[in-house]
Amino acid sequence: MRPDPQVLVLFGATGDLARRKLFPGLFRLMQEDLLPEDFRVIGSGRHSPGTDDEFRDQVRDAVKEFGDDADAGRLDEFAGRVSFTVSSADDGSDLAEAVEQAEGEVGDGAQRLIYLSVPPSAMKDMVGMLGQTGLADGARLIMEKPFGTDLESAKELNAALHEVVEEDQVFRIDHFLGKEAAQNILVARFANGVLEPAWNRDHIAYVQIDVPEELTIEGRAAFYESTGAFRDMISTHLFQLLGLVALEPPVHLDADSLHEEKKKVFDAVQPLDPGKVVFGQYEGYRDEDDVADDSEVETFVALEVSVRSWRWEGVPFLLRTGKALAASRRTITVGFREPPLHMFDGDTGDAPNELVFELADEPEVSIDVRAKVPGPTLSIGDATMTMRFGDDIDGHDALEAYQRLIHDVMLGDHTLFTRADEVERLWELCDPVLEDPPEAQPYAQGSWGPEAALELAAPRGWRLSGDAT
């Protein structure tokens, strides 16, 4: 579906996110005829990248490096609709004029979209400027995480936003929710009679939400020293994925219904047990540029979450993420309870049945089952059934997460975004851990983290590990 004509203002237009994701993503939407027939993109920031033509060359280079194969003519057409205007939280007058001019060129009915890819420390002041200049009037605002750094700052930011715009104008973006594979969790649960009746504590023994990364902080020391892995990943991405796994069936699959059910899950999450939260720091982190010699910042987190509801009472949700680990994966594992009677011969290593969602760019779901070993005896072994939806179902090439989410904002669809009350509830859960964090235990680069984190998942162990794969 093509949106109405748009004028997109992109703060942080010379930053890494814009270069790697946003400009290549917008060009892909144009190639797929998912942008309006008429649109303008105005980049903005404190410092000018040069003339508009020089900025357009930077945009072309970004699309060529990080996007799909680009037709030169279409890329020139896209770049021709891009410009740059200097602005800051103190002065947005030139930007307001540029937006007014662009909307005049696009014509009546133009929708204004403002993407705030700015540091958390600058967010409140930028929102204030948008209100003072009138730029926020009728606009849709996309906000990058983190949405505050604790409960108090999240409430202050939400209050500042609501002084300028209504909640339905705000789109808090979490790119994990835009992934095809994440959305497949909802479809797998609610569109398949073989799964939904078993999606409860009577049949499910545990859930693991596991996002390890092989990369170190890679020059992001300033960000990591002020944020850490818990704020970066747990209070945002991993809890949002937990919400998709654990929510009750919404009456309708629309934004309000989905948000209501997700909020109920977060309300049912019990205070985090300090004894079941493990922080780690990879060996060599303190040697990174711009990292304090005595830094206690965590680069690894593992924890157990309890959802006290009729459906999930007694089922542990295990969350893990970290840098410099043994693999880079985004995996949700649902482990099922054992049948009550063991009547077959064979060695399965006591591996349970597990349903596994791989949150890769190409959606994949597998299930580990037990099957008869070929031969004259009735003995069993382990087998895996794998479903690759791109191979099995004809359709469009999947949009990358940012592409999908930006398109949703242009259509005014809040379904895959985060609401203010969800954000505040998650900070309410996370604040006690951050106020009195566990000591960050050292772990070797290329390992699976501290030993205490491996013990957290006993007796099964983590699916992603050397001992339980």
Side-chain angles (χ1 to χ4, degrees):
M1 180 184 298
R2 274 199 155 177
D4 294 331
Q6 303 275 326
V7 173
L8 169 60
V9 180
L10 175 55
F11 290 99
T14 58
D16 190 63
L17 178 65
R19 186 169 63 93
R20 290 176 175 270
K21 295 292 185 181
L22 303 184
F23 284 118
L26 287 168
F27 180 68
R28 167 79 188 283
L29 291 175
M30 179 179 169
Q31 287 185 305
E32 297 287 337
D33 293 329
L34 293 173
L35 281 187
E37 291 187 12
D38 203 358
F39 65 91
R40 298 292 185 274
V41 180
I42 303 174
S44 194
R46 296 181 64 89
H47 304 291
S48 171
T51 65
D52 278 348
D53 284 340
E54 289 171 332
F55 181 57
R56 289 169 184 139
D57 287 340
Q58 294 176 27
V59 170
R60 288 187 186 91
D61 291 343
V63 172
K64 290 174 183 176
E65 182 176 0
F66 297 106
D68 300 326
D69 291 339
D71 174 83
R74 296 219 74 186
L75 183 53
D76 285 342
E77 179 187 353
F78 175 76
R81 303 186 188 204
V82 174
S83 61
F84 192 95
T85 300
V86 173
S87 70
S88 69
D90 300 321
D91 186 2
S93 55
D94 288 346
L95 180 60
E97 289 181 12
V99 170
E100 184 178 0
Q101 180 180 339
E103 289 177 344
E105 294 171 0
V106 170
D108 294 339
Q111 172 65 52
R112 188 181 304 171
L113 194 163
I114 299 173
Y115 199 122
L116 288 166
S117 179
V118 299
S121 59
M123 191 68 75
K124 275 181 61 179
D125 290 340
M126 292 298 293
V127 169
M129 181 273 284
L130 296 176
Q132 292 166 7
T133 57
L135 281 166
D137 295 349
R140 292 170 179 156
L141 271 61
I142 303 179
M143 297 179 60
E144 277 287 338
K145 74 169 186 69
F147 315 116
T149 56
D150 54 22
L151 178 58
E152 181 180 0
S153 62
K155 285 184 173 180
E156 289 177 356
L157 178 56
N158 284 332
L161 279 165
H162 295 154
E163 288 180 2
V164 173
V165 294
E166 300 296 327
E167 175 65 19
D168 63 5
Q169 292 176 250
V170 182
F171 294 77
R172 298 171 187 83
I173 196 166
D174 186 327
H175 70 272
F176 271 48
L177 299 184
K179 291 181 176 296
E180 287 277 327
Q183 297 164 55
N184 249 316
I185 297 169
L186 296 175
V187 177
R189 283 193 58 186
F190 300 132
N192 292 287
V194 70
L195 288 180
E196 178 54 28
W199 208 263
N200 56 61
R201 59 189 170 87
D202 294 331
H203 301 281
I204 292 176
Y206 55 85
V207 177
Q208 297 180 4
I209 301 175
D210 206 358
V211 186
E213 294 183 78
E214 292 177 278
L215 298 176
T216 63
I217 60 169
E218 286 201 319
R220 300 176 71 213
F223 171 79
Y224 237 76
E225 281 286 275
S226 64
T227 303
F230 193 91
R231 284 188 175 94
D232 185 33
M233 296 291 292
I234 299 296
S235 62
T236 53
H237 301 317
L238 271 65
F239 259 118
Q240 287 295 330
L241 292 175
L242 183 153
L244 292 185
V245 173
L247 57 78
E248 294 295 318
V251 176
H252 305 288
L253 197 59
D254 58 28
D256 288 342
S257 300
L258 200 63
H259 287 306
E260 285 300 321
E261 296 303 334
K262 201 151 42 117
K263 178 59 165 50
K264 289 178 186 176
V265 171
F266 298 149
D267 284 343
V269 172
Q270 297 302 287
L272 301 178
D273 181 350
K276 295 183 178 179
V277 180
V278 178
F279 278 14
Q281 185 185 95
Y282 67 79
E283 294 171 355
Y285 172 75
R286 295 177 181 177
D287 298 328
E288 301 273 8
D289 292 340
D290 299 321
V291 171
D293 293 339
D294 59 351
S295 175
E296 295 295 331
V297 169
E298 79 284 356
T299 62
F300 172 97
V301 182
L303 69 157
E304 180 180 314
V305 177
S306 174
V307 181
R308 193 159 194 182
S309 67
W310 185 266
R311 183 181 292 265
W312 296 113
E313 179 72 27
V315 178
F317 285 76
L318 298 170
L319 280 54
R320 180 175 69 170
T321 188
K323 298 287 189 180
L325 295 175
S328 292
R329 297 276 289 279
R330 294 170 178 174
T331 301
I332 296 177
T333 303
V334 180
F336 289 89
R337 298 192 184 280
E338 294 294 306
L341 182 63
H342 295 276
M343 65 182 74
F344 298 101
D345 294 328
D347 181 15
T348 65
D350 293 324
N353 298 147
E354 290 183 331
L355 179 66
V356 183
F357 296 87
E358 294 289 354
L359 307 186
D361 291 336
E362 296 295 331
E364 180 178 307
V365 177
S366 62
I367 183 167
D368 294 342
V369 296
R370 293 167 184 155
K372 180 184 178 300
V373 175
T377 61
L378 189 59
S379 59
I380 62 172
D382 294 327
T384 299
M385 296 187 294
T386 301
M387 294 158 279
R388 295 182 178 88
F389 299 107
D391 297 337
D392 296 338
I393 302 175
D394 292 333
H396 297 286
D397 291 337
L399 293 175
E400 191 271 338
Y402 278 101
Q403 298 164 10
R404 165 66 191 270
L405 293 172
I406 290 172
H407 185 251
D408 282 355
V409 177
M410 291 182 175
L411 297 176
D413 185 349
H414 281 85
T415 303
L416 299 176
F417 294 85
T418 306
R419 209 168 59 181
D421 56 350
E422 295 175 41
V423 170
E424 293 181 10
R425 171 56 182 163
L426 290 179
W427 279 123
E428 185 179 355
L429 291 167
C430 293
D431 266 7
V433 174
L434 294 169
E435 290 168 359
D436 186 20
E439 182 180 354
Q441 303 175 32
Y443 63 94
Q445 294 190 39
S447 70
W448 286 105
E451 185 64 31
L454 300 179
E455 295 170 356
L456 196 64
R460 157 60 176 148
W462 295 91
R463 179 180 179 84
L464 302 183
S465 73
D467 299 325
T469 302

